[in-house]
């Protein structure tokens, strides 16, 4: 369990980093070291045996709460590990299911349009080598025949393609079970939902007492399309509940945290709540104000339903990181708004106090001192005219002088408007030049940060997308309303199997169907390693590769030490050569100095002798 141990260590240290501000850098460094070890391990495993690496990533380990390496890596937010080739190839296989990924847009469109004709003719992945383990403990070995002929699947998806289904129903099931097919059908049907919603809110939203005027009411108090929409939204609610159920964590509060922090779930929650409130108000009869409130709420609700459609772009490598950029910029904008709000309020109140006196309290007062200062940001200067025309304005001048009470329709105060005009100029320059450019710089920095890791961000985001549609039922909204029946069968199946012993052929068939249906609800990317011999061989192979990794690391460390020693020896030789060269130059210089000194002495002696002769 060396691989999952490293990933678990990264999760622990990252959790400590979130709670320990003083030692955050140290914990993040330790988490990065263990993630690096996990990356090197999985790459080594993948180079030796890709099929066994897939099983290793999806094997449940009892010592770690029956979790898998992929689960721990995702919960630890290990983007670097998720972006590795081994993990991405496994996710690619899970995304396409048992279908081949070597097909074009035209063939896929035909398959979606005619699913009962085309899928069983092609699109099935080819068979791969079924020898999982070789050269264990220095001997050439392969899995036993029983293990070789066994299909290793993850929730009905065969990751190694050992057996190719021949019958029509199995091929059809494989087509509809593929996450990519469920994703495409889900988004196509979702566009029909948006079309119906827009039609109702624009063309067919009569009050209850006038419901008979609707062309689709059919003698009901509500149109047929609205009934379909209500069922459809209810199916979305069931779908979100099911998503909460299949979240990887087994701790309830962690499930709630992961569910809430997912922006898509938050958008769905807001959209569903607004829809329920709007429809509830819409059913209150003889209350025009409730019908108007319902129309307003549903008009706002349609915004969130359209924003949920952005989820389709997470599957596109070019557009997926752009959504992350948008979310990051929204977070940055929220912090920026709190800074700008102080300047908006300061200027708005000061500007209004200089121009108008003793205004009576009202909501219009708040609107009139806040909006002018806000609209200066997009460079809308609609209040500057009142300042420039303060000298010539005559509106309500007499009453204003007598009572010293201003209304919002009066002219601005002549003296105060001059100060307000100067303040207006300073504020405009400050907001338009400094604050707006600061916001642009913040956005540019956010874009640069995400752009550097756009590939890792998209691959990590893609994991969540594949996980969601991997666990989605074949039934798509609004047919998913029948999905709760599956849970009823799931919990009743063990009871029925105990009470109804499979003795006859009919009971055996029912028993097999119950087992099949029960297994389908298994959560997570978990492979069914029921054979103890295969799991033991997998563990032995992991230990062998881990020790091989340690040996390689030791050899690499010795190689680095030898390289450092060789570099130091080379430097030592170079210094000795330099020293010898310096000594040679020093001796040469010393010899020249001695020659010069001898010449000077000779000259001095000659002069001295000459002087003596002259005397």
């Amino acid at each position: 369990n060396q691989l999952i141990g490293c990933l678990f260590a990264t999760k622990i240290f990252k959790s400590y980093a979130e709670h320990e501000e003083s030692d955050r850098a140290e914990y993040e460094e330790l988490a990065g070291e263990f993630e690096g070890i996990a990356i090197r391990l999985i790459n080594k495993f993948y180079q030796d045996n890709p099929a066994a690496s897939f099983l290793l990533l999806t094997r449940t380990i009892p010592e770690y709460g029956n979790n898998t390496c992929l689960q721990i890596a995702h919960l630890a937010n290990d983007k670097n590990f998720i972006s590795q080739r081994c993990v991405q190839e496994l996710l690619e296989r899970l995304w396409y299911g048992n279908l081949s990924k070597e097909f074009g847009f035209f063939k896929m469109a035909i398959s979606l349009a005619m699913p009962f004709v085309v899928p069983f003719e092609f699109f099935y992945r080819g068979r791969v080598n079924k020898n999982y383990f070789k050269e264990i403990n220095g001997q050439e070995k392969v899995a036993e025949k029983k293990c070789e002929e066994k299909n290793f699947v993850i929730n009905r998806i065969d990751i190694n393609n050992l057996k190719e289904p021949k019958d029509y129903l199995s091929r059809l099931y494989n087509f509809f079970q593929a996450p990519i097919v469920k994703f495409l059908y889900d988004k196509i049907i979702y566009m029909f939902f948006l079309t119906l919603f827009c039609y109702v809110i624009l063309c067919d939203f009569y009050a209850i007492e006038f419901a008979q005027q609707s062309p689709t009411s059919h003698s009901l108090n509500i149109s047929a399309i609205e009934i379909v929409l209500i069922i459809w939204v209810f199916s979305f609610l069931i779908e979100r509940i099911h998503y909460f159920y299949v979240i990887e964590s087994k701790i309830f509060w962690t499930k709630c945290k992961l569910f809430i922090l997912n922006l898509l779930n938050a958008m769905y929650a807001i959209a569903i709540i607004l829809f329920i409130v709007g429809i509830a108000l819409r059913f209150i009869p003889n209350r025009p104000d409730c019908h108007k409130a319902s129309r307003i709420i549903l008009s706002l609700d349609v915004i969130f339903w359209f924003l949920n459609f952005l989820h389709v772009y997470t599957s596109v490598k070019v557009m997926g990181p752009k959504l992350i950029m948008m979310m990051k910029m929204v977070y940055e904008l929220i912090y920026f708004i709190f800074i700008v709000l102080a300047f908006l309020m300061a200027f708005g109140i000061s500007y209004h106090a200089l121009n108008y006196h003793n205004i009576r309290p009202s909501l219009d007062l708040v609107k009139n001192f806040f909006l002018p200062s806000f609209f200066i940001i997009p460079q809308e200067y609609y209040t500057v005219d009142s300042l420039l025309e303060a000298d010539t304005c005559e509106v309500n001048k007499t009453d204003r002088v007598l009572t010293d009470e201003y209304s919002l329709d009066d002219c601005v105060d002549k003296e105060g408007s001059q100060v307000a005009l100067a303040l207006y100029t300073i504020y405009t320059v400050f907001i338009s030049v400094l604050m707006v450019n600061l916001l642009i710089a913040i956005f540019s920095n956010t874009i640069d940060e995400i752009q550097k890791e756009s590939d890792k961000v998209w691959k990590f985001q893609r994991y969540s997308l594949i996980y969601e549609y991997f666990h989605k039922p074949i039934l798509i909204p609004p047919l998913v309303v029948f999905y709760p029946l599956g849970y009823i069968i799931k919990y009743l199946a063990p009871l029925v199997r105990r009470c109804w012993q499979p003795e006859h052929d009919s009971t055996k068939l029912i028993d097999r169907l119950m087992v099949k249906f029960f297994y389908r609800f298994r959560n997570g990317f978990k492979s069914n390693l029921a054979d103890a011999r295969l799991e033991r061989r997998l563990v032995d192979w992991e230990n062998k590769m881990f020790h091989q990794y340690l040996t390689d690391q030791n050899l690499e460390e010795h190689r680095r030490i030898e390289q450092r020693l060789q570099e130091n020896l080379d430097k030592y030789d170079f210094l000795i050569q330099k020293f010898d060269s310096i000594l040679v130059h020093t001796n040469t210089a010393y010899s020249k100095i001695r020659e010069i000194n001898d010449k000077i002495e000779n000259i001095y002696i000659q002069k001295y002798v000459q002087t003596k002769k002259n005397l």
Side-chain angles (χ1 to χ4, degrees):
N1 303 330
Q2 293 86 357
L3 180 61
I4 195 172
C6 294
L7 295 172
F8 198 76
T10 63
K11 173 62 177 172
I12 292 174
F13 285 121
K14 286 182 179 180
S15 299
Y16 275 124
E18 292 178 0
H19 296 90
E20 298 290 340
E21 293 288 340
S22 58
D23 299 327
R24 172 174 292 182
E26 182 180 354
Y27 286 129
E28 288 179 348
E29 183 179 356
L30 289 172
E33 290 180 4
F34 278 101
E35 186 179 3
I37 295 173
I39 290 172
R40 290 191 291 273
L41 281 175
I42 193 61
N43 288 335
K44 186 169 185 60
F45 295 161
Y46 181 75
Q47 290 174 3
D48 183 76
N49 195 326
S53 301
F54 298 153
L55 294 176
L56 193 64
L57 287 173
T58 56
R59 179 175 68 100
T60 57
I61 302 175
E63 292 83 359
Y64 291 88
N66 284 324
N67 289 311
T68 65
C69 293
L70 276 182
Q71 283 180 288
I72 299 298
H74 183 250
L75 292 174
N77 199 25
D78 292 335
K79 293 185 179 66
N80 293 323
F81 183 84
I82 295 292
S83 63
Q84 297 305 306
R85 182 182 175 186
C86 178
V87 180
Q88 289 302 309
E89 185 172 339
L90 174 61
L91 293 177
E92 189 81 3
R93 293 193 179 199
L94 294 172
W95 179 237
Y96 285 93
N98 292 325
L99 305 179
S100 172
K101 61 181 180 180
E102 297 178 358
F103 58 87
F105 174 80
F106 179 72
K107 291 183 179 180
M108 192 64 185
I110 293 177
S111 298
L112 295 174
M114 297 183 293
F116 296 100
V117 178
V118 179
F120 64 92
E121 291 295 336
F122 48 87
F123 293 162
Y124 198 84
R125 280 190 289 163
R127 188 167 179 167
V128 299
N129 187 4
K130 56 189 177 182
N131 294 338
Y132 288 98
F133 308 108
K134 294 182 178 180
E135 293 188 7
I136 296 181
N137 297 327
Q139 298 178 359
E140 183 72 18
K141 295 182 179 181
V142 295
E144 291 85 348
K145 184 176 181 181
K146 181 180 178 181
C147 295
E148 288 182 350
E149 296 177 353
K150 186 176 179 60
N151 239 9
F152 301 105
V153 299
I154 303 176
N155 283 19
R156 305 292 180 84
I157 293 179
D158 182 6
I159 62 174
N160 289 313
N161 312 103
L162 299 184
K163 293 181 180 179
E164 181 177 349
K166 302 295 184 182
D167 58 294
Y168 171 83
L169 292 178
S170 297
R171 285 178 170 271
L172 195 64
Y173 178 82
N174 287 333
F175 176 76
F176 284 109
Q177 184 67 10
I180 185 174
V181 176
K182 290 189 281 188
F183 172 78
L184 293 173
Y185 272 125
D186 182 61
K187 296 311 174 185
I188 292 171
I189 298 300
Y190 191 83
M191 286 191 286
F192 283 107
F193 167 76
L194 292 177
T195 303
L196 290 180
F197 203 139
C198 294
Y199 171 78
V200 168
I201 202 64
L202 292 173
C203 309
D204 194 9
F205 195 75
Y206 295 91
I208 290 294
E209 52 271 19
F210 303 111
Q212 299 302 324
Q213 299 180 16
S214 172
T216 60
S217 63
H218 304 296
S219 70
L220 300 174
N221 290 331
I222 186 174
S223 67
I225 296 180
E226 285 186 78
I227 296 175
V228 173
L229 283 181
I230 293 172
I231 297 173
W232 215 320
V233 173
F234 180 67
S235 70
F236 285 130
L237 177 61
I238 294 175
E239 198 176 48
R240 290 298 100 189
I241 294 173
H242 171 259
Y243 179 75
F244 177 82
Y245 171 75
V246 301
I247 288 178
E248 292 176 312
S249 178
K250 298 179 180 179
I251 303 173
F252 178 77
W253 294 113
T254 305
K255 275 180 175 283
C256 295
K257 179 182 177 181
L258 294 174
F259 185 83
I260 294 171
L261 291 179
N262 189 326
L263 184 61
L264 179 67
N265 295 327
M267 300 290 285
Y268 265 111
I270 295 172
I272 292 172
I273 291 172
L274 288 178
F275 185 86
I276 292 173
V277 173
I279 290 296
L281 292 174
R282 188 243 188 288
F283 279 107
I284 299 177
N286 301 320
R287 290 292 301 272
D289 53 341
C290 291
H291 182 260
K292 291 179 180 179
S294 175
R295 180 183 292 277
I296 292 172
I297 291 174
L298 292 178
S299 299
L300 296 175
D301 187 36
V302 74
I303 297 174
F304 292 95
W305 290 112
F306 270 100
L307 291 178
N308 287 334
F309 187 73
L310 293 175
H311 187 233
V312 69
Y313 300 131
T314 57
S315 63
V316 183
K317 187 174 182 179
V318 177
M319 303 182 69
K322 301 295 188 293
L323 297 178
I324 301 294
M325 292 178 190
M326 290 172 58
M327 289 188 287
K328 291 283 186 182
M329 286 191 287
V330 169
Y331 295 145
E332 297 288 351
L333 182 61
I334 291 173
Y335 294 126
F336 183 78
I337 285 174
F338 284 107
I339 298 174
V340 176
L341 189 61
F343 295 98
L344 294 179
M345 300 298 293
F347 170 75
I349 294 174
S350 177
Y351 172 83
H352 214 268
L354 288 169
N355 290 319
Y356 302 99
H357 308 162
N358 303 322
I359 299 293
R360 294 184 180 181
S362 65
L363 292 177
D364 288 337
L365 176 61
V366 178
K367 180 181 70 176
N368 280 276
F369 76 70
F370 178 77
L371 291 182
S373 58
F374 175 79
F375 281 110
I376 290 177
I377 298 177
Q379 300 180 359
E380 291 289 337
Y381 311 111
Y382 68 92
T383 58
V384 71
D385 293 337
S386 61
L387 299 177
L388 299 175
E389 297 172 0
D391 294 336
T392 59
C393 184
E394 298 291 337
V395 178
N396 202 17
K397 186 174 182 180
T398 305
D399 295 339
R400 186 185 66 194
V401 172
L402 294 175
T403 61
D404 197 30
E405 289 185 3
Y406 282 56
S407 70
L408 298 175
D409 297 326
D410 291 344
C411 296
V412 297
D413 183 76
K414 183 177 179 180
E415 290 77 13
S417 64
Q418 304 305 312
V419 181
L421 184 60
L423 183 64
Y424 195 100
T425 305
I426 296 172
Y427 175 78
T428 302
V429 173
F430 181 79
I431 287 292
S432 300
V433 177
L434 181 62
M435 301 304 289
V436 172
N437 283 284
L438 176 61
L439 181 61
I440 294 172
I442 292 173
F443 286 170
S444 300
N445 184 52
T446 302
I447 292 172
D448 291 338
E449 289 179 355
I450 297 178
Q451 196 67 36
K452 291 177 182 177
E453 298 186 349
S454 59
D455 186 63
K456 295 178 183 178
V457 169
W458 176 75
K459 288 177 178 177
F460 188 80
Q461 187 182 36
R462 186 167 173 259
Y463 175 91
S464 301
L465 176 70
I466 296 173
Y467 186 89
E468 178 182 353
Y469 281 90
F470 178 83
H471 292 89
K472 274 196 174 187
I474 294 179
L475 299 176
I476 55 178
L479 300 178
V480 78
V481 293
F482 300 106
Y483 193 63
L485 295 175
Y487 284 97
I488 297 175
I489 296 175
K490 171 186 173 180
Y491 291 113
L492 290 180
L495 179 62
V496 174
R497 290 176 61 201
R498 285 196 298 268
C499 298
W500 193 354
Q501 296 298 328
E503 297 177 355
H504 304 289
D505 293 339
S506 60
T507 57
K508 290 181 180 179
L509 176 61
I510 295 174
D511 182 69
R512 287 197 300 270
L513 290 174
M514 288 181 179
V515 173
K516 186 176 181 181
F517 196 86
F518 178 80
Y519 175 75
R520 185 168 55 185
F521 289 91
R522 191 178 185 187
N523 297 340
F525 298 140
K526 299 178 181 178
S527 54
N528 57 335
L529 294 178
D531 194 291
R533 289 173 296 178
L534 176 65
E535 185 164 6
R536 186 167 59 252
R537 295 177 69 84
L538 182 64
V539 172
D540 292 340
W541 174 76
E542 181 185 6
N543 289 330
K544 175 205 167 188
M545 296 306 300
F546 178 71
H547 289 300
Q548 210 174 80
Y549 165 77
L550 292 179
T551 303
D552 293 343
Q553 289 296 111
N554 291 331
L555 291 175
E556 184 66 25
E557 184 66 26
H558 288 311
R559 204 174 292 117
R560 284 198 296 266
I561 293 173
E562 291 177 357
Q563 186 177 359
R564 290 198 200 103
L565 288 174
Q566 187 62 42
E567 290 176 356
N568 291 332
L569 288 174
D570 292 341
K571 291 179 182 179
Y572 179 72
D573 293 338
F574 177 75
L575 290 175
I576 289 176
Q577 292 176 2
K578 281 288 186 182
F579 184 72
D580 291 340
S581 176
I582 291 171
L583 285 177
V584 171
H585 287 298
T586 303
N587 292 332
T588 303
Y590 183 70
S591 299
K592 290 182 179 181
I593 291 172
R594 290 184 62 182
E595 290 178 1
I596 294 171
N597 189 33
D598 292 341
K599 289 180 180 179
I600 293 173
E601 287 182 357
N602 291 331
I603 293 171
Y604 178 76
I605 292 171
Q606 290 176 3
K607 285 186 177 182
Y608 180 75
V609 172
Q610 186 68 31
T611 304
K612 283 287 189 180
K613 287 181 179 182
N614 293 333
L615 292 176

